[in-house]
Amino acid sequence: LFDHIAMKAVDVKAEFIAQGISNVVWAYATVMKPHPVLFEAMGDQVVAREHLEEFDPQALSNIVWAYATSGVPHPSLFEKVAYHIVSLDSS
């Protein structure tokens, strides 16, 4: 079931809003069902966005927590989130 849902989510990844990305990776990490293909696709969606203003602090923290907890690496995601947080401090 989890694999089927993950692959459907990957198929429509471009349709996910910020909260949806946060919710799906958080859910998979919470039930301890990391799905590398799903996590790569969702992480790529975050990285591809021009800016991260649509992500509230809770969504960003849930995303970072999910990747760290699941052990699925996505260095460019962490770099994008880190850059965003640092840029908030200089605004």
Side-chain angles (χ1 to χ4, degrees):
L1 178 63
F2 281 98
D3 286 340
H4 181 72
I5 293 168
M7 295 315 295
K8 289 294 184 184
V10 169
D11 288 345
V12 296
K13 65 185 178 229
E15 297 176 32
F16 275 79
I17 63 171
Q19 189 65 50
I21 293 170
S22 174
N23 289 350
V24 75
V25 295
W26 176 88
Y28 273 75
T30 299
V31 297
M32 295 181 266
K33 297 278 188 190
H35 194 284
V37 174
L38 172 67
F39 275 58
E40 181 179 359
M42 293 297 119
D44 289 350
Q45 286 300 302
V46 175
V47 172
R49 299 187 187 222
E50 187 174 333
H51 52 77
L52 300 182
E53 280 81 18
E54 68 184 283
F55 291 85
D56 65 26
Q58 184 67 54
L60 287 175
S61 65
N62 286 350
I63 290 169
V64 171
W65 176 88
Y67 281 80
T69 299
S70 68
V72 177
H74 201 304
S76 56
L77 168 69
F78 279 87
E79 184 177 330
K80 178 92 175 200
V81 172
Y83 178 78
H84 172 72
I85 292 168
V86 168
S87 73
L88 293 175
D89 189 45
S90 62
S91 298

